[in-house]
Amino acid sequence: MEYTQHYDSPLGGITMAGNEEALTGLWFDGQKYFEDTLDSEHEEKNMLFFQETKRWLDLYFSGGIPDFTPPVLMKGTAFQKAVWEILLTIPYGQTMTYGEIAGKIAKQRNLPRMSAQAVGGAVAHNPVSLIIPCHRVLGADGSLTGYAGGLEKKTALLELEKQKFF
């Protein structure tokens, strides 16, 4: 069984989802791929990891740098999970390009190269936005490209982190 909770952020509503033990989803309400990984049968319930996630979000949206990560269970393919693990290494206030991530994946898999577009697909389907910081991924020229929550939210998140992205 999966459970949900709602969070009101300065950028709009956020839905959190999880199982008995960990967070499995965090989406801005109405974002692209919203609830892709959420079981069709779920109920609203207050779980300990939701309280921890709300504490993380409160700290983040107040301009603080969270020094902890709520329990997260990534639901996806091995490739998606490898990309999301790299996203978790991008520090607060810093960015990485799709190509840089592709290079890291290619190195991990002992391949001559990896498609940045394939990485982009995995980034776009990240089910735990913000905590797995897909908003910190930019185009090769440093431009803002794709964000399932919308470019206005990506811009606001990078500005919150005081990131210079142009």
Side-chain angles (χ1 to χ4, degrees):
M1 174 62 104
E2 281 198 314
Y3 306 102
T4 59
Q5 280 276 294
H6 194 263
Y7 178 85
D8 290 316
S9 86
L11 299 179
I14 292 176
T15 297
M16 300 175 289
N19 60 19
E20 293 289 340
E21 299 173 15
L23 189 70
T24 57
L26 189 144
W27 311 272
F28 282 104
D29 292 348
Q31 87 175 42
K32 194 174 181 181
Y33 311 119
F34 179 66
E35 299 180 349
D36 261 6
T37 59
L38 184 62
D39 288 346
S40 58
E41 293 198 24
H42 57 274
E43 67 182 57
E44 188 151 330
K45 185 175 179 181
N46 191 16
M47 305 294 284
L48 181 59
F49 60 84
F50 286 148
Q51 293 172 27
E52 291 177 44
T53 303
K54 288 177 182 181
R55 187 167 61 90
W56 190 99
L57 291 167
D58 286 344
L59 182 60
Y60 180 82
F61 283 115
S62 69
I65 303 173
D67 61 353
F68 68 97
T69 302
V72 173
L73 174 65
M74 293 184 237
K75 293 166 67 174
T77 66
F79 177 75
Q80 288 173 323
K81 290 177 185 179
V83 170
W84 301 336
E85 288 289 343
I86 292 171
L87 297 182
L88 286 168
T89 70
I90 306 172
Y92 182 98
Q94 295 183 32
T95 58
M96 188 176 284
T97 67
Y98 294 97
E100 289 171 325
I101 295 169
K104 288 179 179 282
I105 295 290
K107 186 175 181 180
Q108 285 175 0
R109 295 181 172 207
N110 201 25
L111 298 170
R113 63 178 300 278
M114 172 59 62
S115 163
Q117 289 80 13
V119 167
V123 170
H125 286 86
N126 168 22
V128 186
S129 297
L130 301 173
I131 293 171
I132 300 175
C134 50
H135 63 281
R136 296 181 188 149
V137 182
L138 303 178
D141 61 357
S143 63
L144 293 180
T145 58
Y147 183 64
L151 288 181
E152 69 285 345
K153 285 188 175 68
K154 184 171 187 166
T155 300
L157 294 168
L158 291 172
E159 287 175 352
L160 176 70
E161 296 182 15
K162 298 169 182 53
Q163 173 62 43
K164 304 228 182 303
F165 48 86
F166 292 113

